[in-house]
Every structure is written in C-alpha cells, then in structure tokens.
Amino acid sequence: MVGHLQTIRAFLEQRQFDRVERYAAQLAAQYREQVQPQISDRALIDLVVRQYRQVCRTAGIRLDCAAEAVPAAVSADLMCLLADLLEYHIARCRDMPDDSRPRIALSLCRQADRLRIVCTDTVPGTPRAGRQAFRQLAEQAHRCGARLQREQNATILTASTSQMPQHEA
C-alpha cells in the first residue's frame, strides 16, 4: 500500500491529476470483488481504509470507520499520515494479549476549514516504544502542517483543508 501512496504522491507533486484518477480507478478495480462498505466518496481515503481493513481482519482486529463531510480534495501527505496513523494503532493492538478482542475506531470529519481524523483503540496505556512511535508521527504531521495530539487511547490529527490541493481525489 505504501508503494501505491508514493506513486499517487509523485503524480500529485507533478500536478498530473488525470493520472491520479486513472491510477486510483485501477486500484479500485482490484478491490471490486471484495464486499466492503465505503466510508466516504473520496477514492483515496477509501483505498487506504480498505487496505487497512484487510490488514486488521488478518490480525484479528476490528476496524470501524465513519466519515462525515470529508473535503473534496485531500493531499497525498494527508493520506500518508492517515496510513501511518492506522499503522500506529494496529501496532498497539498487536501487542495486546491473544484472548483480547482489539478494536480500532476511525472517524473523519470536516470542521469549518479543518479536517479532523480521530483514531482510537482498545489498548490500555502506551508502552515506551509506542510513545516514541507517536513522537515520530507527530513530527511527520508537523512537517505536513498538521497537528497531532493524544488523549488516552485516541490519536487526533487535525489538518487545514485550505492547504489541500484544489482537485478531486
């Protein structure tokens, strides 16, 4: 999945929006046989979530998703952050005892000129390695002009929609 996101990012950086649309359509065609509910009308977000739904299913982790008023345009950087945010929570859930039923909840919503992504999991506490991973994720968010904060088992990513490219994703 990371390779797909890097390809899409390269197309966006080169302002080749039609190639992004074609590439996303090709990826979407690969997933058509899988019955999975879409969480938004945005192809890139759906692709990322579908990929991580499969990863979670394989790892025995339940992934619940909801999207509300997601902006028409999303940046490649934001999609990479979303993927890394899910990776962070999946890694936390993998550390849980085998008899637990780990769950991740992902919520995306637009609030005024901001996109707010909230990801929570059922893992109590944060081990030292998790704190370091969170710091790295927060630094990455900062470089992209986004803000990352943690509240108990939730990680909240806030990004300005005005900084996002003005094309359909």
Side-chain angles (χ1 to χ4, degrees):
M1 184 66 184
V2 172
H4 294 305
L5 291 173
Q6 289 172 336
T7 299
I8 291 168
R9 184 180 192 173
F11 288 151
L12 289 171
E13 288 173 352
Q14 296 169 6
R15 304 190 62 77
Q16 296 179 358
F17 306 130
D18 58 326
R19 290 188 72 184
V20 171
E21 290 174 353
R22 286 195 310 265
Y23 191 78
Q26 289 172 348
L27 290 175
Q30 295 174 8
Y31 289 96
R32 282 198 183 107
E33 293 183 14
Q34 299 176 2
V35 178
Q36 297 175 347
Q38 285 192 319
I39 67 152
S40 78
D41 294 332
R42 310 299 174 233
L44 292 177
I45 292 172
D46 288 333
L47 287 172
V48 170
V49 171
R50 282 185 181 143
Q51 175 68 27
Y52 283 99
R53 255 201 188 110
Q54 184 60 41
V55 169
C56 286
R57 186 177 298 124
T58 301
I61 301 167
R62 180 177 162 183
L63 176 60
D64 297 324
C65 304
E68 181 182 320
V70 176
V74 291
S75 70
D77 286 338
L78 187 59
M79 289 299 91
C80 290
L81 281 170
L82 175 60
D84 290 344
L85 182 63
L86 286 166
E87 287 281 350
Y88 169 76
H89 282 274
I90 290 168
R92 283 176 44 89
C93 287
R94 283 186 175 142
D95 292 339
M96 290 181 70
D98 290 337
D99 60 345
S100 65
R101 294 178 186 254
R103 183 172 82 72
I104 297 172
L106 177 67
S107 169
L108 297 95
C109 68
R110 185 176 191 159
Q111 297 177 335
D113 67 339
R114 317 273 310 152
L115 176 64
R116 181 177 164 98
I117 301 173
V118 179
C119 194
T120 60
D121 62 44
T122 55
V123 179
T126 304
R128 182 179 207 139
R131 288 191 295 269
Q132 181 178 353
F134 177 83
R135 279 193 297 274
Q136 291 172 342
L137 191 56
E139 289 170 7
Q140 180 184 357
H142 180 72
R143 285 191 301 272
C144 296
R147 181 171 176 245
L148 192 72
Q149 64 189 72
R150 186 175 44 211
E151 293 178 6
Q152 295 178 351
N153 293 2
T155 307
I156 303 164
L157 176 67
T158 308
S160 172
T161 57
S162 62
Q163 295 175 349
M164 294 181 189
Q166 298 301 309
H167 65 277
E168 288 291 316

